[in-house]
């Protein structure tokens, strides 16, 4: 057995190095003085934590990180609650047009985001909100097809007798949703929440479209501004850019390590019966 | 009673119905109408018939960006699928606990914002001093400056975030019935024969799903390319158009030049291409996708 296993271990170990090395390099290089940036030593020969001081004074990174936290939390909270409400509608009730409507929900998952990007911008522009952070999360108030699909699967697993018993006791539909379905399906809601948190945290395209005022930038949008300022001028200051990249990445890595079970569960369910 | 229930149902569905009308159906119609106009947001839209579409078919940058995007997708999708499947097969053979550890390791890059991936690309693939070329030595091309090598480099850095595909395959592999494998083994089927006759058909649903989502996302690649090669300070970092991807061009037309009408036509062309590619894939998949009766 042991003899047959070693190719597996070698393969996995090599892949693991390829997948983790860029992180290690990123963090380490962000702590090196400028001439050493391309040096591959994972432990800096000379430490330069002042790169973080430089970026701190060159850009409002604390504001950007704060903006990202607010936007990502708003996006994740709204999409989770609204998708759960809609998912309950599809899971519990039997009504005319249910299957057709649900097929429509699933169908919209295939619609490329680039297609609705322009008219959506025009809507927010008409509403006078185009230059604010509102467009970055407010659409989530209406639920999102993938999360509706995911949460509905969990709601369908709740034994119907539980609902029927509560109905007999005179519970309202809202109560069935809020007091029975939601508590029993908490893992699905957490999956939706952390998924959207990640998506929102990483988004660059929408902040590029909507945000003009640097005080409103999210961290990835700010990161792009740092790169424009320090990376593409005549003399690139990569150590500052790298410190920015670390600040953009590390909060998400921490969130992932804390809730990795939910991230991975969410992905694993995607491939099943889609 | 039943009627009250229907009303309640639609009550629960109302957020999605409103969102669908306001942010999907409405915008689709608006986008189609806009694609027949000349509109810059500041002044009123002017109807120009099919002019935008005519311009689009004669626009060399449309051809360039489309070519780049298709080239990238054609490399990105198979590479992602093959490497992910190899890793998932290895994980499936490793014990549960170690598989859990490596699964986390492989998924980790996918939580890295693409802006940071773009920065990593510029530095790790840097022609003179980047790590990749330090490993490759004199045969290493100039990944970030040589127009012929920009897209292959982007494909490689893109493959770094294939973790979700690995996890989807692993979940599917765990659902493959063990007895099928054992039966084939008893019949003396080789490992490769079992892989082709048992494993691949059993996970064909997952293969098909990842084919579709990786293709759609490949065709819409934006963040890392825009980060590495385009900026507000300078329209373009490098002289060549090797990194002009379709959504980058669409974004420039719409939000930098405010050619809203033209950009809407570009969006519809993209929509058409994605629909066509997806339909072809769905058609072809009917031959090889088996949904197990389980």
């Amino acid at each position: 057995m042991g003899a047959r296993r070693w190719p597996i271990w070698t393969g996995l170990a090599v892949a693991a190095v390829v997948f983790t090395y860029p992180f290690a390099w990123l963090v380490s290089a962000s702590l090196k003085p400028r001439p050493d940036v391309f040096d591959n030593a994972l432990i800096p020969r000379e430490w330069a934590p002042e790169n973080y001081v430089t970026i701190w004074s060159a850009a409002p990174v604390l504001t950007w990180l704060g903006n990202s936290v607010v936007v990502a939390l708003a996006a994740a909270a709204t999409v989770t609650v609204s998708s759960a409400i809609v998912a309950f509608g599809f899971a519990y009730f039997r009504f005319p047009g249910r299957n057709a409507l649900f097929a429509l929900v699933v169908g919209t998952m295939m619609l490329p985001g680039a297609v609705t990007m322009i008219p959506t911008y025009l809507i927010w522009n008409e509403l006078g909100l185009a230059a604010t952070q509102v467009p970055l999360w407010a659409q989530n108030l209406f639920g999102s097809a993938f999360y509706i699909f995911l949460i509905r699967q969990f709601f369908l697993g709740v034994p119907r007798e539980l609902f029927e018993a509560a109905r007999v006791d005179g519970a309202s539909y809202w109560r069935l949703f809020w007091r029975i379905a939601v508590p029993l399906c908490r893992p699905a809601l957490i999956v939706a929440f952390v998924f959207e948190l990640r998506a929102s945290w990483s988004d660059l395209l929408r902040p590029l479209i909507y945000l003009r005022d640097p005080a409103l930038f999210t961290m990835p949008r700010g990161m792009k501004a740092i790169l424009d300022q320090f990376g593409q001028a005549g003399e690139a200051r990569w150590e500052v850019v790298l410190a920015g990249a670390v600040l953009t990445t590390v909060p998400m890595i921490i969130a992932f390590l804390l809730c990795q079970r939910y991230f991975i569960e969410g992905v694993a369910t995607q491939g099943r019966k889609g | 009673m039943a009627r009250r229930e229907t009303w309640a149902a639609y009550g629960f569905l109302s957020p999605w119905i409103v969102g669908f009308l306001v942010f999907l159906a409405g915008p689709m119609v608006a986008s189609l109408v806009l694609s027949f106009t000349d509109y810059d947001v500041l002044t009123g839209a002017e109807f120009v018939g099919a002019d935008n579409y005519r311009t689009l078919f004669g626009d060399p940058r449309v051809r360039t960006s489309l070519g780049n995007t298709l080239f990238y997708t054609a490399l990105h999708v198979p590479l992602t699928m093959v490497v992910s499947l190899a890793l998932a097969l290895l994980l499936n053979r490793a014990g549960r606990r170690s598989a859990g550890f490596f699964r986390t390791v492989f998924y980790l890059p996918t939580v890295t914002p693409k802006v940071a991936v773009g920065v990593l690309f510029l530095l790790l693939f840097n022609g003179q001093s980047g790590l990749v070329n330090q490993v490759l030595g004199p045969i290493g091309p100039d990944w970030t400056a040589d127009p012929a090598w920009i897209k292959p480099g982007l494909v490689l850095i893109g493959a770094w975030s294939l973790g979700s595909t690995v996890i989807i395959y692993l979940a599917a592999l765990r659902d493959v019935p063990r007895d099928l494998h054992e039966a084939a083994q008893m019949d003396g089927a080789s490992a490769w024969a079992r892989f082709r006759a048992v494993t691949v058909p059993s996970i064909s649903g997952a293969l098909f799903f990842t084919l579709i989502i990786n293709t759609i996302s490949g065709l819409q690649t934006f963040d890392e390319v825009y980060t590495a090669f385009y900026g507000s300070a300078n329209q373009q970092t490098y002289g060549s158009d090797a990194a002009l991807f379709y959504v980058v061009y669409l974004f420039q037309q719409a939000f930098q030049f405010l050619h809203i009408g033209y950009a809407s036509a570009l969006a519809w062309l993209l929509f058409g291409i994605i629909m066509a590619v997806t339909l072809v894939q769905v058609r072809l998949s009917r031959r090889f996708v088996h949904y197990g009766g389980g």
Side-chain angles (χ1 to χ4, degrees):
Chain A
M1 192 67 188
R4 276 176 52 222
R5 282 251 155 149
W6 74 262
I8 297 174
W9 293 117
T10 318
L12 287 173
V14 169
V17 171
V18 172
F19 280 89
T20 47
Y21 192 90
F23 282 114
W25 183 85
L26 175 65
V27 174
S28 138
S30 77
L31 289 164
K32 290 173 185 170
R34 193 183 320 176
D36 290 357
V37 161
F38 285 104
D39 171 7
N40 285 316
L42 280 188
I43 299 183
R45 272 178 303 176
E46 205 181 314
W47 293 82
E50 63 267 21
N51 295 342
Y52 287 87
V53 180
T54 312
I55 195 174
W56 201 267
S57 52
V61 281
L62 196 61
T63 310
W64 292 347
L65 285 168
N67 290 341
S68 270
V69 170
V70 170
V71 167
L73 286 178
T78 48
V79 92
T80 306
V81 172
S82 56
S83 300
I85 292 172
V86 178
F88 184 77
F90 279 115
Y92 175 77
F93 296 101
R94 286 167 193 159
F95 55 92
R98 181 175 75 157
N99 293 338
L101 259 184
F102 190 65
L104 191 59
V105 172
V106 174
T108 61
M109 279 200 261
M110 304 288 283
L111 189 73
V115 176
T116 48
M117 180 169 101
I118 295 166
T120 307
Y121 170 80
L122 295 176
I123 293 174
W124 291 114
N125 194 42
E126 279 303 308
L127 295 173
L129 293 169
T132 70
Q133 291 169 346
V134 175
L136 305 185
W137 58 269
Q139 261 168 269
N140 285 355
L141 284 166
F142 306 104
S144 165
F146 170 59
Y147 305 122
I148 293 172
F149 181 81
L150 183 115
I151 298 170
R152 171 184 164 271
Q153 297 288 85
F154 276 75
F155 283 170
L156 287 175
V158 176
R160 228 179 149 79
E161 302 83 66
L162 279 179
F163 292 129
E164 302 305 344
R167 285 296 289 164
V168 172
D169 291 346
S172 67
Y173 294 121
W174 182 255
R175 221 179 141 77
L176 299 188
F177 164 69
W178 197 241
R179 287 299 165 89
I180 299 176
V182 164
L184 286 175
C185 300
R186 199 176 298 152
L189 304 183
I190 299 176
V191 167
F193 188 87
V194 296
F195 245 62
E196 187 64 15
L197 204 63
R198 184 199 71 102
S200 171
W201 183 278
S202 307
D203 189 21
L204 174 66
L205 183 51
R206 274 189 298 173
L208 273 173
I209 293 174
Y210 290 104
L211 305 178
R212 299 274 168 269
D213 178 0
L216 296 177
F217 281 5
T218 55
M219 195 56 211
R221 177 67 189 88
M223 176 62 228
K224 179 61 183 138
I226 291 169
L227 182 64
D228 286 342
Q229 190 185 341
F230 292 98
Q232 318 204 315
E235 179 197 21
R237 296 185 62 187
W238 291 118
E239 73 286 2
V240 182
V241 173
L242 285 161
V246 169
L247 291 177
T248 314
T249 308
V250 164
M252 221 41 243
I253 301 286
I254 294 172
F256 167 67
L257 292 176
L258 291 176
C259 329
Q260 49 169 311
R261 208 185 109 214
Y262 298 105
F263 279 90
I264 288 176
E265 255 172 35
V267 180
T269 45
Q270 276 188 41
R272 305 226 169 103
K273 288 267 138 111
Chain B
M1 180 68 190
R3 197 157 185 188
R4 232 188 92 206
E5 193 167 276
T6 303
W7 279 111
Y10 280 104
F12 277 93
L13 301 189
S14 57
W16 184 80
I17 294 172
V18 171
F20 176 79
L21 294 175
V22 176
F23 287 105
L24 267 162
M28 293 291 284
V29 174
S31 163
L32 190 59
V33 172
L34 280 169
S35 75
F36 293 101
T37 67
D38 190 359
Y39 183 47
D40 65 0
V41 185
L42 310 167
T43 54
E46 190 193 331
F47 185 74
V48 294
D51 273 8
N52 288 327
Y53 290 93
R54 267 194 289 275
T55 314
L56 181 156
F57 285 109
D59 183 346
R61 289 173 73 76
V62 168
R63 229 166 298 152
T64 307
S65 62
L66 203 52
N68 286 340
T69 306
L70 293 173
F71 178 88
Y72 173 87
T73 309
L75 289 181
H76 164 80
V77 175
L79 180 76
T80 302
M81 290 179 68
V82 169
V83 176
S84 301
L85 184 56
L87 291 174
L89 288 167
L90 287 178
L91 283 177
N92 198 39
R93 298 285 301 276
R96 281 233 164 201
R97 283 189 64 177
S98 36
F101 168 77
F102 284 112
R103 208 173 51 163
T104 302
V105 166
F106 297 154
Y107 189 71
L108 202 56
T110 66
V111 302
T112 309
K114 294 286 185 196
V115 199
V117 175
V119 171
L120 277 172
F121 176 67
L122 286 178
L123 294 171
L124 291 177
F125 283 78
N126 182 287
Q128 283 87 47
S129 15
L131 169 71
V132 173
N133 278 3
Q134 288 182 33
V135 173
L136 290 177
I139 59 158
D142 199 341
W143 302 94
T144 57
D146 182 347
W149 286 98
I150 286 177
K151 284 184 291 290
L154 286 167
V155 169
L156 288 178
I157 194 91
W160 187 52
S161 10
L162 49 70
S164 328
T165 310
V166 176
I167 289 170
I168 291 171
Y169 290 165
L170 183 62
L173 285 171
R174 291 202 165 141
D175 289 343
V176 176
R178 265 203 119 78
D179 45 340
L180 271 180
H181 259 288
E182 280 158 12
Q185 205 160 8
M186 301 257 266
D187 290 345
S190 69
W192 174 247
R194 271 179 283 141
F195 174 73
R196 281 201 42 193
V198 179
T199 310
V200 170
S202 310
I203 64 165
S204 54
L207 292 172
F208 175 58
F209 176 75
T210 56
L211 172 72
I212 301 252
I213 56 166
N214 279 315
T215 306
I216 294 181
S217 72
L219 291 173
Q220 295 191 84
T221 304
F222 176 84
D223 286 8
E224 63 271 48
V225 176
Y226 187 82
T227 301
F229 295 101
Y230 296 86
S232 37
N234 38 351
Q235 288 301 329
Q236 197 170 319
T237 317
Y238 297 98
S240 83
D241 276 343
L244 186 71
F245 278 46
Y246 196 86
V247 177
V248 172
Y249 189 52
L250 174 53
F251 170 81
Q252 289 184 328
Q253 286 296 334
F255 299 106
Q256 287 179 343
F257 312 141
L258 290 181
H259 297 158
I260 298 287
Y262 187 52
S264 299
L266 286 171
W268 275 89
L269 177 63
L270 179 67
F271 187 40
I273 291 169
I274 289 178
M275 288 315 264
V277 171
T278 309
L279 279 178
V280 168
Q281 290 175 336
V282 170
R283 270 279 155 80
L284 291 176
S285 77
R286 293 212 181 116
R287 290 198 200 149
F288 71 86
V289 178
H290 305 257
Y291 288 102

